[in-house]
Amino acid sequence: MTELSLEKLKAEDVKEISKALTIIENDPIEAKKIVGALDEKDYCVIGLTGSPGSGKSTLTDRLASLFSLKEKIGIIAVDPSSPFTGGAFLGDRIRMKRTSRNDNVYIRSMASRGKLGGLSPSIYNAVELLGRCGFKKVFVETVGAGQSETDIANLADIVLLVLAPGLGDEIQMLKAGIMEIGDIYVVNKMDIEGASRLKSRIEAVLDFSNHRKDVILTDGIKGTNLEELARLIEKELQFLKESGKIDEKRKKRKRFNKLNTVFQELKELPDEAIDRLVEELKKLTGGR
Amino acid sequence: MGKKIKVLIAKPGLDGHDRGAKVVAMALRDAGMEVIYTGLRQSPEDIAKAALQEDVDVIGLSILSGAHMKLCPRVLEFMKQYGIGEKPVFVGGIIPEDDALELKKMGIFEVFGPGTSLEKIIDSMRKIVK
């Protein structure tokens, strides 16, 4: 392993964690080795998704700050890479000033690097590394999402769908995709007109499908209702644990991590190797 | 995928002039780098901590307040304290020539004054990371 100290990683040294994350971002094969060298631990992944500017970073900052009173919190904030130059402007940290000084919180910005779906190719290993380095909750903030960036649902134990007033009528809520993946619906910017109406519309739509899910109004800047939101998260986690559903989520996360890694490795292969693999696959799937 | 150059662009101290920092950040982004912008009014400790957590290759400080002789050494101090003293730090802003020399003696890698071309900044960063 390139110039990385496993001892220091196990001791949860911040510099070593940072270096490890860089390697994980750049090299999927090394990533697997690094994560594999650390012991598995119990941790939760909380995803925040929603349209650009809905307040995901500010809410993440607030929530991390609240939870950090009792445990170590990791944050991975994903912003988009340019499809033209591969460059990125990562600005989520600007909204995280509350926790940037907090020794119990680790914040890492990540570029999406061409991955669609709202996350980055290395996200599974990055999250797993933080989990194995003692972070009890890992918050993952997706890129500003539109309608179909739903990968976060495969990664997170709980998804917060962050909405703000003024972005469409009830028809938007009936559409498939992102509106379905929330476990908790957060109507942020509650000080803006239309917030309560949006909340009742979401509740009405959720009623159609018989899904009992919480909808909450918040103000990320002032911090209004943030403690209540934190309580809802704990309640949902409790429910997942007691109902055993958390195991399904963990299984799903592992599966998608594997699929993701396989895909990363496949991309590096020459065409002939892919052809051979396709032949092998045919055998596995019974010639389809 | 391969390695991307990661840059932290930060504005230390009480200085609200962020156009320069934003122009440079955009130029570096367009040059294919991953730029983390931390926003206005950061303390030297905040900046060092962000550089540590983000594991950036280069740090760029934008200072137009005239307080560069106080702020730069503080940033360097905190970087040493966090064990990342070896990372190169660039400074951009209104910096008199004599001060620029002093800053370089202190350990600032390069100082870019007004009128510096974006190409020059991009090139310097590419060279040092390689």
Side-chain angles (χ1 to χ4, degrees):
Chain A
M1 240 175 274
T2 34
E3 55 189 275
L4 200 68
S5 153
L6 211 53
E7 262 67 67
K8 282 190 186 168
L9 257 188
K10 283 183 178 159
E12 302 171 10
D13 175 86
V14 177
K15 187 182 176 186
E16 224 55 25
I17 292 172
S18 298
K19 275 162 61 184
L21 284 176
T22 303
I23 299 173
I24 285 174
E25 278 199 276
N26 292 329
D27 186 342
I29 295 167
E30 277 296 310
K32 217 163 55 176
K33 283 190 212 156
I34 295 171
V35 174
L38 299 165
D39 296 331
E40 233 174 297
K41 286 195 183 131
D42 188 40
Y43 69 100
C44 301
V45 183
I46 296 154
L48 282 95
T49 191
S51 32
S54 54
K56 298 181 291 298
S57 305
T58 309
L59 289 175
T60 305
D61 188 41
R62 286 273 181 185
L63 288 172
S65 182
L66 287 173
F67 286 117
S68 73
L69 297 173
K70 50 180 175 158
E71 53 203 356
K72 263 176 62 170
I73 305 295
I75 299 175
I76 299 181
V78 188
D79 263 338
S81 295
S82 161
F84 304 114
T85 65
F89 183 99
L90 311 172
D92 289 327
R93 264 194 114 86
I94 299 177
R95 325 282 177 200
M96 298 187 181
K97 290 192 173 140
R98 192 170 305 272
T99 42
S100 58
R101 281 185 196 183
N102 185 329
D103 284 332
N104 248 357
V105 181
Y106 177 87
I107 310 171
R108 178 73 170 226
S109 314
M110 218 170 244
S112 65
R113 297 202 179 172
K115 176 96 164 56
L116 298 174
L119 296 171
S120 96
S122 45
I123 193 84
Y124 285 95
N125 282 320
V127 165
E128 190 62 33
L129 178 96
L130 290 183
R132 292 184 185 202
C133 284
F135 294 90
K136 289 285 173 204
K137 284 195 176 64
V138 180
F139 285 87
V140 177
E141 183 194 331
T142 72
V143 304
Q147 294 181 311
S148 58
E149 287 90 343
T150 52
D151 282 4
I152 188 71
N154 301 326
L155 170 68
D157 297 320
I158 296 180
V159 175
L160 309 189
L161 183 61
V162 183
L163 301 147
L167 296 169
D169 61 6
E170 194 181 271
I171 299 303
Q172 301 303 331
M173 325 231 152
L174 294 170
K175 291 183 183 172
I178 201 159
M179 283 306 295
E180 298 173 280
I181 65 169
D183 296 303
I184 299 172
Y185 290 74
V186 184
V187 177
N188 195 33
K189 308 194 183 185
M190 62 181 279
D191 54 320
I192 293 179
E193 208 208 306
S196 319
R197 213 174 330 142
L198 178 60
K199 178 175 180 265
S200 26
R201 277 185 182 154
I202 296 168
E203 283 166 339
V205 170
L206 290 176
D207 273 351
F208 292 155
S209 53
N210 238 346
H211 282 153
R212 278 270 149 243
K213 287 177 179 174
D214 288 304
V215 187
I216 181 173
L217 289 167
T218 59
D219 180 335
I221 301 273
K222 288 197 196 124
T224 318
N225 279 356
L226 259 291
E227 267 155 34
E228 176 63 12
L229 177 57
R231 200 187 58 77
L232 288 181
I233 293 172
E234 291 290 19
K235 190 186 87 179
E236 180 71 18
L237 279 174
Q238 196 63 31
F239 164 75
L240 287 174
K241 278 178 193 159
E242 279 165 9
S243 63
K245 283 201 171 145
I246 198 108
D247 299 327
E248 287 168 37
K249 299 242 178 190
R250 303 283 154 89
K251 241 193 228 163
K252 193 168 170 190
R253 175 150 84 233
K254 272 196 186 141
R255 180 179 163 81
F256 275 89
N257 189 0
K258 266 188 226 161
L259 284 174
N260 192 54
T261 313
V262 168
F263 185 65
Q264 294 305 316
E265 287 173 15
L266 282 180
K267 279 205 304 198
E268 309 290 320
L269 289 179
D271 285 350
E272 310 86 77
I274 303 272
D275 290 339
R276 282 217 308 278
L277 262 170
V278 171
E279 287 306 310
E280 286 299 316
L281 261 180
K282 271 188 195 154
K283 284 179 210 162
L284 278 175
T285 55
R288 268 183 298 136
Chain B
M1 259 182 295
K3 172 98 177 108
K4 286 249 173 240
I5 299 177
K6 276 183 93 172
V7 186
L8 181 78
I9 297 289
K11 284 200 66 72
L14 300 175
D15 163 10
H17 304 276
D18 59 355
R19 174 164 289 225
K22 284 176 180 162
V23 168
V24 170
M26 289 280 277
L28 297 174
R29 183 202 82 178
D30 290 342
M33 301 181 197
E34 292 180 351
V35 184
I36 293 136
Y37 180 55
T38 54
L40 290 169
R41 292 184 283 276
Q42 297 289 287
S43 77
E45 187 172 7
D46 292 338
I47 293 169
K49 204 169 173 190
L52 168 76
Q53 293 184 344
E54 301 286 354
D55 191 33
V56 290
D57 303 299
V58 186
I59 293 134
L61 304 175
S62 162
I63 310 173
L64 294 110
S65 61
H68 46 269
M69 298 309 282
K70 289 267 181 239
L71 291 168
C72 293
R74 294 288 285 159
V75 173
L76 294 174
E77 254 169 56
F78 279 112
M79 284 176 61
K80 272 198 202 102
Q81 200 179 307
Y82 283 128
I84 51 167
E86 75 289 351
K87 291 192 193 290
V89 181
F90 290 70
V91 175
I94 314 287
I95 316 281
E97 245 170 68
D98 292 353
D99 288 356
L101 284 175
E102 276 299 307
L103 289 176
K104 282 192 201 168
K105 270 188 217 153
M106 241 175 242
I108 296 293
F109 193 79
E110 186 63 86
V111 177
F112 297 120
T116 308
S117 73
L118 291 168
E119 286 74 29
K120 190 178 167 193
I121 298 175
I122 293 165
D123 280 348
S124 318
M125 295 203 173
R126 281 201 178 127
K127 259 183 219 141
I128 186 144
V129 173
K130 259 160 211 167

